[in-house]
Amino acid sequence: MKPFLAFDTSALVSLGHTDLVETIIGNYKIIVSQRIIDELKDISKLNDSDAIASRKWLKKVKNFQIKKVKKRSSGEEELFEICKDLNIDLVSDDIKAIRRYNKLIDCYFSIHLIYALYRKKIITKSKAIIEISKMKRERDWKQNAISIAARILFK
């Protein structure tokens, strides 16, 4: 049985910049709220690389489990409730959300998911590094907490 993970929009967009969408769907059960789908739809209307990344996921929405949740002020707040209720982990590239929820639920950046795929021997180390490099470039991470975490993981 595939492990369940809640994904926010930022993590899905980041991961959409990789060639790993099918691999992720094949190895994890993706849980979102309707707000996450709506945010992906909004981003997909733009004309940039994030829009292309969003469209990759929207083509795969039938593979998502969309949980009904009381509307909150953000998708991360909705996912936090889902994670608490289902006792599952959150994947987010929203650094503020990770700081806010990390002591209450297990939270991971998208790069941790790629690292897990590597550790499980689903992808090679070189594939993982290439895909994280794509994310870093397309998301313009430069030296933020996510790119620093990636560098430390793959030392």
Side-chain angles (χ1 to χ4, degrees):
M1 178 180 233
K2 296 190 264 187
F4 290 83
L5 290 172
F7 286 80
D8 78 352
T9 308
S10 63
L12 290 172
V13 170
S14 295
L15 292 163
H17 286 289
T18 72
D19 296 327
L20 297 173
V21 170
E22 289 290 337
T23 302
I24 293 164
I25 289 171
N27 288 279
Y28 295 94
K29 185 67 177 172
I30 297 171
I31 297 180
V32 297
S33 65
Q34 184 59 47
R35 179 190 299 251
I36 304 305
I37 302 301
D38 294 342
E39 289 175 355
L40 287 173
K41 286 178 182 176
D42 288 345
I43 294 167
S44 75
K45 294 174 186 172
L46 303 173
N47 190 21
D48 61 13
S49 62
D50 284 350
I52 294 166
S54 295
R55 287 183 210 122
K56 282 185 186 180
W57 288 109
L58 289 170
K59 290 178 186 175
K60 303 295 180 182
V61 162
K62 67 182 182 299
N63 297 293
F64 292 15
Q65 191 170 53
I66 303 170
K67 290 289 188 184
K68 290 187 180 191
V69 66
K70 182 179 175 185
K71 190 171 182 147
R72 305 281 182 181
S73 64
S74 71
E76 289 78 20
E77 282 189 41
E78 293 176 3
L79 292 172
F80 171 70
E81 293 300 322
I82 292 169
C83 290
K84 276 191 342 186
D85 290 346
L86 299 177
N87 194 27
I88 62 173
D89 302 340
L90 173 65
V91 182
S92 174
D93 284 348
D94 182 324
I95 295 169
K96 289 179 184 176
I98 293 285
R99 285 186 184 134
R100 181 174 181 188
Y101 299 119
N102 197 39
K103 291 188 168 107
L104 305 169
I105 59 173
D106 288 333
C107 301
Y108 302 97
F109 292 131
S110 58
I111 54 102
H112 290 109
L113 187 68
I114 294 176
Y115 185 72
L117 292 171
Y118 155 66
R119 293 290 304 209
K120 293 178 181 180
K121 299 187 186 316
I122 296 167
I123 62 173
T124 65
K125 183 176 183 178
S126 61
K127 174 75 170 169
I129 291 169
I130 288 167
E131 298 303 333
I132 289 172
S133 294
K134 287 180 194 175
M135 290 169 31
K136 182 179 175 184
R137 180 179 62 252
E138 294 297 321
R139 298 291 275 166
D140 197 26
W141 284 340
K142 299 195 189 328
Q143 291 303 314
N144 74 358
I146 301 170
S147 64
I148 292 167
R151 189 174 59 243
I152 291 167
L153 284 173
F154 286 98
K155 271 191 176 181

